[in-house]
Amino acid sequence: MSVLSTDSKDLMIVVDSIDDVSGPTNVSPASYAAGWRASVRAAGPNDKRTFVVVQDSTGAHVWQEQLTAIPVDKPDQRFTVASAAYDLDAPGINTFLTLEDGIAGALAGTGTTLPPPNSANPRFVWIQPDTYPNPGFDVELHAYVHLNGCVTGAASAILQGYSFRMREQGPIVLSGIAFSQCSFTFELCEIVRFVGCTFDGCSLSHRSDQPTKYVFEGCTGDIPTWNIDNVGPASVVISGLLDSRYAVLPPSSELSTKQISMVADGSSLDMIIYGSASLAYSANHLVSVSRGSIFSVLLYSGKITATGASPALLRMEDASSAGIFCHGNAVLPQTAYVADSVGAGCSIILDLDQCESSGITSSPFFPAGINGPGTVDQQTSSGSRPRGFTAPISINCQPGDPLATQTGDVAYGAFDRILVRPNYRPLALNPNTAAAAFQFASLLLIDPSLMPIGKEIDIINDRDDTPDLDGFVGGPVALRLPDGTASRIGFMKSYLSSSPVFSSESYVILDPGQSVKLTVDRDALGTYRYMVSAVGAATPPLASLESQDGPLTSEHWYFTTKESWTLLGALPGAFLGNNTSGYPIQTIYSAMLSGIRFYWASAAAATVRATLRNAAGAVLASVDVPVAGVGDYSGIFANVVNLSPFTTYWITIWETSGTNYMAGVAGAAPARFLVAPQALRGWVRLAGYCWAPGNAVPVNFNAEQPMLLVPLFNRL
């Protein structure tokens, strides 16, 4: 290590050697904020050389040499404020005695010939530890003139009673500063970042008619007055510390307010709280949403708490709307209502996944809705889903019992995990008898159309074959949907009016000890499904044909599925006609697609064109594949295609002479072999067999038939 000493007050390190290309030897400028300098402790020609950290036009930190004391040679972007004057240990001037003078000096480039502040030449006003009182007038903030408390840890530089105003488009960063009884008014500003700051009795007013983003990283304290006073879209991000180059700062944000007031009618406010950050409020409502305004809040492991007796999270006026979105162990206060409505036409969207109520372990956030006129669109049937919420459901089956008593009803959408315990009288099961007299346990699932896309539920048959004290033994359980629904489990119509017999042709059936993961999905034609994956222990016959221990690649899924269909006598055949066939897929990760594998069932030699299209049908890649008869073929594109995450694509095949085409599996096969590769495998199937005349996008959906057709990836 070549750093011999560090002076935090003067932001100076002493090094033992200089590399004429990179500056101080083995000392990365990325480890230091702009304005830090390095001098050389050595005899000879290097003993007076000084380097300074400068932020370049890309935002990267680089070493730049200070050649002489002449201003034209001075690249230092730092302007130091202190309560007493002292000379800087480098070319330049002494300290500024007030913050406003330091800002003015930075803006003018005093002591340098730097151009006006911009993205390529920002300024850094470094504030030495002390308490700086209110100067008695508004202090203007400027774009690209950043304020930094220059000693490790926040609250060393204390600004007391300041009134700050900003009226310039562009970014500003305020870091490592303690603000006491300060006010902030932003009439024009692109983005303001508070990094590692503390607040005591402060106020913030958004008065811009342009979009402005307010970011709080690793900040703590109280901002009682927080107003949206103009119609320019405002967004607020509260998070843990994202960038620690300026100082050693708190890892998360804990802020409080009385209430956020959307004063201007027709305004908008978006909030994101994540990274274990929290926001507390003491009034009756967190946000008062004005007439015709829009408010949304997204919590990713974030927390909102009420320190008073809050009846509702929001207060909403005429024609206002709000959205509350929670993911990843978010916490909301236990209020009686989502909102108090004082006007007509209010609407709220709730999408609460993995959300708990503050102070109540594993208690869901489940308020009654709107208190007053308005509507709530609840994206989950329960309103929330705490992580690890498990439902034990017991089902007792006896001959002659009606269906209702032999069904477990999943009426609450919060569950991540369901333990089903089917208990049978030890008599021969007869699932093929009439619905009013059979003996077979079933689990009635919530319609997937009522659940958020991507929601996962693990279902376990938590029973064995051992008789209990009442003489019941364990047995299978069938997973079914509400009667007459348009939704599916996999590709099956798993409801009684369509499939009155419980068999694996129409239902996922779990034997004792077996488990399955269901993932809510919606295909390109709007059909909601529980896609089936990860069939667990105690697997049924043919289970050896698919891996139960880890992700399957597309090729694995293709060949294990083909083998299972071969054993079942369900391989698809070829049809006469000029059709394109295929289906849409969605990627979960960025991927590199190299081609398409497909099964061809015609004995005649032909040429098959394998094609990748985007969601709109535009061809991204294609290749003509000679086929010599029935068999498995791969079409490899001339160049690998980079696929974006969470994007829809079509994979299709078309026989160029227009003589034959491939369809899907005729009839039903057991559900575990109809499953498209799931999220762990990098992509999901969005529909079954689709077709269209000629060489075209196959937008016609044909029943529930899956195809032996998969994308081939170089890398997931």
PDB file of all heavy atoms in Angstrom, residues 639-660:
ATOM      1  N   ASN A 639     -26.692 -16.462 -36.791  1.00  0.00           N
ATOM      2  CA  ASN A 639     -26.138 -15.676 -35.691  1.00  0.00           C
ATOM      3  C   ASN A 639     -27.006 -15.849 -34.454  1.00  0.00           C
ATOM      4  O   ASN A 639     -28.235 -15.986 -34.556  1.00  0.00           O
ATOM      5  CB  ASN A 639     -26.071 -14.188 -36.060  1.00  0.00           C
ATOM      6  CG  ASN A 639     -25.141 -13.920 -37.224  1.00  0.00           C
ATOM      7  OD1 ASN A 639     -23.946 -14.152 -37.136  1.00  0.00           O
ATOM      8  ND2 ASN A 639     -25.708 -13.429 -38.328  1.00  0.00           N
ATOM      9  N   VAL A 640     -26.369 -15.845 -33.315  1.00  0.00           N
ATOM     10  CA  VAL A 640     -27.104 -15.914 -32.056  1.00  0.00           C
ATOM     11  C   VAL A 640     -27.934 -14.644 -31.882  1.00  0.00           C
ATOM     12  O   VAL A 640     -27.495 -13.545 -32.223  1.00  0.00           O
ATOM     13  CB  VAL A 640     -26.132 -16.077 -30.868  1.00  0.00           C
ATOM     14  CG1 VAL A 640     -26.851 -15.914 -29.546  1.00  0.00           C
ATOM     15  CG2 VAL A 640     -25.460 -17.441 -30.932  1.00  0.00           C
ATOM     16  N   VAL A 641     -29.155 -14.805 -31.371  1.00  0.00           N
ATOM     17  CA  VAL A 641     -30.050 -13.666 -31.142  1.00  0.00           C
ATOM     18  C   VAL A 641     -30.112 -13.387 -29.644  1.00  0.00           C
ATOM     19  O   VAL A 641     -30.394 -14.293 -28.849  1.00  0.00           O
ATOM     20  CB  VAL A 641     -31.467 -13.949 -31.681  1.00  0.00           C
ATOM     21  CG1 VAL A 641     -32.357 -12.728 -31.467  1.00  0.00           C
ATOM     22  CG2 VAL A 641     -31.407 -14.327 -33.149  1.00  0.00           C
ATOM     23  N   ASN A 642     -29.836 -12.144 -29.247  1.00  0.00           N
ATOM     24  CA  ASN A 642     -29.922 -11.754 -27.837  1.00  0.00           C
ATOM     25  C   ASN A 642     -31.369 -11.432 -27.489  1.00  0.00           C
ATOM     26  O   ASN A 642     -31.976 -10.539 -28.094  1.00  0.00           O
ATOM     27  CB  ASN A 642     -29.030 -10.537 -27.570  1.00  0.00           C
ATOM     28  CG  ASN A 642     -27.563 -10.867 -27.691  1.00  0.00           C
ATOM     29  OD1 ASN A 642     -27.094 -11.864 -27.156  1.00  0.00           O
ATOM     30  ND2 ASN A 642     -26.823 -10.038 -28.412  1.00  0.00           N
ATOM     31  N   LEU A 643     -31.924 -12.152 -26.517  1.00  0.00           N
ATOM     32  CA  LEU A 643     -33.304 -11.943 -26.090  1.00  0.00           C
ATOM     33  C   LEU A 643     -33.319 -11.137 -24.795  1.00  0.00           C
ATOM     34  O   LEU A 643     -32.514 -11.365 -23.892  1.00  0.00           O
ATOM     35  CB  LEU A 643     -34.009 -13.278 -25.866  1.00  0.00           C
ATOM     36  CG  LEU A 643     -34.022 -14.258 -27.044  1.00  0.00           C
ATOM     37  CD1 LEU A 643     -34.891 -15.469 -26.720  1.00  0.00           C
ATOM     38  CD2 LEU A 643     -34.511 -13.580 -28.319  1.00  0.00           C
ATOM     39  N   SER A 644     -34.249 -10.208 -24.709  1.00  0.00           N
ATOM     40  CA  SER A 644     -34.380  -9.368 -23.516  1.00  0.00           C
ATOM     41  C   SER A 644     -35.218 -10.070 -22.466  1.00  0.00           C
ATOM     42  O   SER A 644     -36.078 -10.892 -22.792  1.00  0.00           O
ATOM     43  CB  SER A 644     -35.035  -8.032 -23.883  1.00  0.00           C
ATOM     44  OG  SER A 644     -34.275  -7.350 -24.854  1.00  0.00           O
ATOM     45  N   PRO A 645     -35.004  -9.760 -21.180  1.00  0.00           N
ATOM     46  CA  PRO A 645     -35.811 -10.391 -20.131  1.00  0.00           C
ATOM     47  C   PRO A 645     -37.252  -9.893 -20.155  1.00  0.00           C
ATOM     48  O   PRO A 645     -37.537  -8.770 -20.580  1.00  0.00           O
ATOM     49  CB  PRO A 645     -35.096  -9.971 -18.839  1.00  0.00           C
ATOM     50  CG  PRO A 645     -34.399  -8.705 -19.201  1.00  0.00           C
ATOM     51  CD  PRO A 645     -33.994  -8.847 -20.628  1.00  0.00           C
ATOM     52  N   PHE A 646     -38.159 -10.746 -19.719  1.00  0.00           N
ATOM     53  CA  PHE A 646     -39.580 -10.440 -19.596  1.00  0.00           C
ATOM     54  C   PHE A 646     -40.134  -9.856 -20.902  1.00  0.00           C
ATOM     55  O   PHE A 646     -40.820  -8.847 -20.924  1.00  0.00           O
ATOM     56  CB  PHE A 646     -39.832  -9.488 -18.424  1.00  0.00           C
ATOM     57  CG  PHE A 646     -39.444 -10.064 -17.103  1.00  0.00           C
ATOM     58  CD1 PHE A 646     -38.303  -9.643 -16.467  1.00  0.00           C
ATOM     59  CD2 PHE A 646     -40.204 -11.059 -16.518  1.00  0.00           C
ATOM     60  CE1 PHE A 646     -37.917 -10.191 -15.251  1.00  0.00           C
ATOM     61  CE2 PHE A 646     -39.838 -11.614 -15.310  1.00  0.00           C
ATOM     62  CZ  PHE A 646     -38.695 -11.179 -14.677  1.00  0.00           C
ATOM     63  N   THR A 647     -39.809 -10.539 -21.999  1.00  0.00           N
ATOM     64  CA  THR A 647     -40.238 -10.106 -23.324  1.00  0.00           C
ATOM     65  C   THR A 647     -40.846 -11.293 -24.054  1.00  0.00           C
ATOM     66  O   THR A 647     -40.392 -12.424 -23.917  1.00  0.00           O
ATOM     67  CB  THR A 647     -39.035  -9.553 -24.120  1.00  0.00           C
ATOM     68  OG1 THR A 647     -38.423  -8.497 -23.360  1.00  0.00           O
ATOM     69  CG2 THR A 647     -39.473  -9.015 -25.465  1.00  0.00           C
ATOM     70  N   THR A 648     -41.892 -11.018 -24.832  1.00  0.00           N
ATOM     71  CA  THR A 648     -42.603 -12.076 -25.562  1.00  0.00           C
ATOM     72  C   THR A 648     -42.009 -12.257 -26.962  1.00  0.00           C
ATOM     73  O   THR A 648     -41.718 -11.266 -27.653  1.00  0.00           O
ATOM     74  CB  THR A 648     -44.096 -11.736 -25.672  1.00  0.00           C
ATOM     75  OG1 THR A 648     -44.657 -11.667 -24.358  1.00  0.00           O
ATOM     76  CG2 THR A 648     -44.835 -12.807 -26.469  1.00  0.00           C
ATOM     77  N   TYR A 649     -41.838 -13.522 -27.359  1.00  0.00           N
ATOM     78  CA  TYR A 649     -41.363 -13.874 -28.696  1.00  0.00           C
ATOM     79  C   TYR A 649     -42.221 -15.040 -29.211  1.00  0.00           C
ATOM     80  O   TYR A 649     -42.861 -15.763 -28.431  1.00  0.00           O
ATOM     81  CB  TYR A 649     -39.893 -14.297 -28.673  1.00  0.00           C
ATOM     82  CG  TYR A 649     -38.943 -13.233 -28.184  1.00  0.00           C
ATOM     83  CD1 TYR A 649     -38.601 -13.148 -26.835  1.00  0.00           C
ATOM     84  CD2 TYR A 649     -38.373 -12.317 -29.061  1.00  0.00           C
ATOM     85  CE1 TYR A 649     -37.720 -12.170 -26.379  1.00  0.00           C
ATOM     86  CE2 TYR A 649     -37.487 -11.337 -28.620  1.00  0.00           C
ATOM     87  CZ  TYR A 649     -37.173 -11.270 -27.273  1.00  0.00           C
ATOM     88  OH  TYR A 649     -36.311 -10.310 -26.825  1.00  0.00           O
ATOM     89  N   TRP A 650     -42.207 -15.254 -30.537  1.00  0.00           N
ATOM     90  CA  TRP A 650     -42.859 -16.415 -31.159  1.00  0.00           C
ATOM     91  C   TRP A 650     -41.780 -17.346 -31.702  1.00  0.00           C
ATOM     92  O   TRP A 650     -40.813 -16.888 -32.320  1.00  0.00           O
ATOM     93  CB  TRP A 650     -43.741 -15.980 -32.321  1.00  0.00           C
ATOM     94  CG  TRP A 650     -44.989 -15.237 -31.936  1.00  0.00           C
ATOM     95  CD1 TRP A 650     -45.125 -13.899 -31.734  1.00  0.00           C
ATOM     96  CD2 TRP A 650     -46.282 -15.812 -31.733  1.00  0.00           C
ATOM     97  NE1 TRP A 650     -46.417 -13.595 -31.404  1.00  0.00           N
ATOM     98  CE2 TRP A 650     -47.152 -14.747 -31.397  1.00  0.00           C
ATOM     99  CE3 TRP A 650     -46.792 -17.113 -31.791  1.00  0.00           C
ATOM    100  CZ2 TRP A 650     -48.495 -14.954 -31.130  1.00  0.00           C
ATOM    101  CZ3 TRP A 650     -48.135 -17.313 -31.523  1.00  0.00           C
ATOM    102  CH2 TRP A 650     -48.973 -16.249 -31.196  1.00  0.00           C
ATOM    103  N   ILE A 651     -41.945 -18.663 -31.485  1.00  0.00           N
ATOM    104  CA  ILE A 651     -41.123 -19.651 -32.178  1.00  0.00           C
ATOM    105  C   ILE A 651     -42.057 -20.467 -33.062  1.00  0.00           C
ATOM    106  O   ILE A 651     -43.108 -20.951 -32.606  1.00  0.00           O
ATOM    107  CB  ILE A 651     -40.327 -20.543 -31.203  1.00  0.00           C
ATOM    108  CG1 ILE A 651     -41.237 -21.266 -30.201  1.00  0.00           C
ATOM    109  CG2 ILE A 651     -39.297 -19.723 -30.454  1.00  0.00           C
ATOM    110  CD1 ILE A 651     -40.499 -22.306 -29.362  1.00  0.00           C
ATOM    111  N   THR A 652     -41.711 -20.613 -34.341  1.00  0.00           N
ATOM    112  CA  THR A 652     -42.627 -21.219 -35.309  1.00  0.00           C
ATOM    113  C   THR A 652     -41.873 -22.121 -36.273  1.00  0.00           C
ATOM    114  O   THR A 652     -40.653 -21.971 -36.468  1.00  0.00           O
ATOM    115  CB  THR A 652     -43.365 -20.143 -36.118  1.00  0.00           C
ATOM    116  OG1 THR A 652     -42.421 -19.389 -36.897  1.00  0.00           O
ATOM    117  CG2 THR A 652     -44.120 -19.191 -35.200  1.00  0.00           C
ATOM    118  N   ILE A 653     -42.622 -23.044 -36.901  1.00  0.00           N
ATOM    119  CA  ILE A 653     -42.099 -23.852 -38.003  1.00  0.00           C
ATOM    120  C   ILE A 653     -43.103 -23.847 -39.151  1.00  0.00           C
ATOM    121  O   ILE A 653     -44.319 -23.801 -38.929  1.00  0.00           O
ATOM    122  CB  ILE A 653     -41.778 -25.303 -37.566  1.00  0.00           C
ATOM    123  CG1 ILE A 653     -43.000 -25.955 -36.885  1.00  0.00           C
ATOM    124  CG2 ILE A 653     -40.573 -25.332 -36.641  1.00  0.00           C
ATOM    125  CD1 ILE A 653     -42.802 -27.429 -36.554  1.00  0.00           C
ATOM    126  N   TRP A 654     -42.596 -23.904 -40.393  1.00  0.00           N
ATOM    127  CA  TRP A 654     -43.430 -23.895 -41.602  1.00  0.00           C
ATOM    128  C   TRP A 654     -42.720 -24.685 -42.683  1.00  0.00           C
ATOM    129  O   TRP A 654     -41.535 -24.452 -42.956  1.00  0.00           O
ATOM    130  CB  TRP A 654     -43.671 -22.455 -42.055  1.00  0.00           C
ATOM    131  CG  TRP A 654     -44.335 -22.329 -43.400  1.00  0.00           C
ATOM    132  CD1 TRP A 654     -45.587 -22.703 -43.739  1.00  0.00           C
ATOM    133  CD2 TRP A 654     -43.733 -21.785 -44.587  1.00  0.00           C
ATOM    134  NE1 TRP A 654     -45.830 -22.427 -45.068  1.00  0.00           N
ATOM    135  CE2 TRP A 654     -44.709 -21.852 -45.613  1.00  0.00           C
ATOM    136  CE3 TRP A 654     -42.479 -21.239 -44.875  1.00  0.00           C
ATOM    137  CZ2 TRP A 654     -44.466 -21.409 -46.905  1.00  0.00           C
ATOM    138  CZ3 TRP A 654     -42.230 -20.793 -46.165  1.00  0.00           C
ATOM    139  CH2 TRP A 654     -43.219 -20.878 -47.165  1.00  0.00           C
ATOM    140  N   GLU A 655     -43.438 -25.622 -43.264  1.00  0.00           N
ATOM    141  CA  GLU A 655     -42.886 -26.441 -44.351  1.00  0.00           C
ATOM    142  C   GLU A 655     -43.010 -25.659 -45.656  1.00  0.00           C
ATOM    143  O   GLU A 655     -44.099 -25.228 -46.038  1.00  0.00           O
ATOM    144  CB  GLU A 655     -43.634 -27.772 -44.427  1.00  0.00           C
ATOM    145  CG  GLU A 655     -42.856 -28.839 -45.191  1.00  0.00           C
ATOM    146  CD  GLU A 655     -43.391 -29.014 -46.586  1.00  0.00           C
ATOM    147  OE1 GLU A 655     -44.446 -29.656 -46.720  1.00  0.00           O
ATOM    148  OE2 GLU A 655     -42.759 -28.499 -47.517  1.00  0.00           O
ATOM    149  N   THR A 656     -41.847 -25.398 -46.304  1.00  0.00           N
ATOM    150  CA  THR A 656     -41.792 -24.401 -47.371  1.00  0.00           C
ATOM    151  C   THR A 656     -42.621 -24.762 -48.602  1.00  0.00           C
ATOM    152  O   THR A 656     -42.995 -23.878 -49.375  1.00  0.00           O
ATOM    153  CB  THR A 656     -40.331 -24.162 -47.795  1.00  0.00           C
ATOM    154  OG1 THR A 656     -39.748 -25.405 -48.200  1.00  0.00           O
ATOM    155  CG2 THR A 656     -39.534 -23.566 -46.639  1.00  0.00           C
ATOM    156  N   SER A 657     -42.922 -26.047 -48.816  1.00  0.00           N
ATOM    157  CA  SER A 657     -43.753 -26.408 -49.972  1.00  0.00           C
ATOM    158  C   SER A 657     -45.234 -26.280 -49.667  1.00  0.00           C
ATOM    159  O   SER A 657     -46.073 -26.395 -50.573  1.00  0.00           O
ATOM    160  CB  SER A 657     -43.439 -27.843 -50.415  1.00  0.00           C
ATOM    161  OG  SER A 657     -43.968 -28.777 -49.469  1.00  0.00           O
ATOM    162  N   GLY A 658     -45.583 -26.043 -48.404  1.00  0.00           N
ATOM    163  CA  GLY A 658     -46.983 -25.915 -48.025  1.00  0.00           C
ATOM    164  C   GLY A 658     -47.754 -27.217 -48.045  1.00  0.00           C
ATOM    165  O   GLY A 658     -48.986 -27.218 -48.153  1.00  0.00           O
ATOM    166  N   THR A 659     -47.050 -28.358 -47.924  1.00  0.00           N
ATOM    167  CA  THR A 659     -47.714 -29.661 -48.024  1.00  0.00           C
ATOM    168  C   THR A 659     -48.160 -30.189 -46.669  1.00  0.00           C
ATOM    169  O   THR A 659     -49.277 -30.696 -46.519  1.00  0.00           O
ATOM    170  CB  THR A 659     -46.772 -30.687 -48.679  1.00  0.00           C
ATOM    171  OG1 THR A 659     -46.335 -30.190 -49.941  1.00  0.00           O
ATOM    172  CG2 THR A 659     -47.477 -32.025 -48.871  1.00  0.00           C
ATOM    173  N   ASN A 660     -47.298 -30.109 -45.665  1.00  0.00           N
ATOM    174  CA  ASN A 660     -47.597 -30.669 -44.349  1.00  0.00           C
ATOM    175  C   ASN A 660     -47.340 -29.623 -43.259  1.00  0.00           C
ATOM    176  O   ASN A 660     -46.590 -28.662 -43.451  1.00  0.00           O
ATOM    177  CB  ASN A 660     -46.708 -31.891 -44.059  1.00  0.00           C
ATOM    178  CG  ASN A 660     -47.019 -33.058 -44.979  1.00  0.00           C
ATOM    179  OD1 ASN A 660     -48.058 -33.694 -44.852  1.00  0.00           O
ATOM    180  ND2 ASN A 660     -46.107 -33.339 -45.904  1.00  0.00           N
TER     181      ASN A 660
END
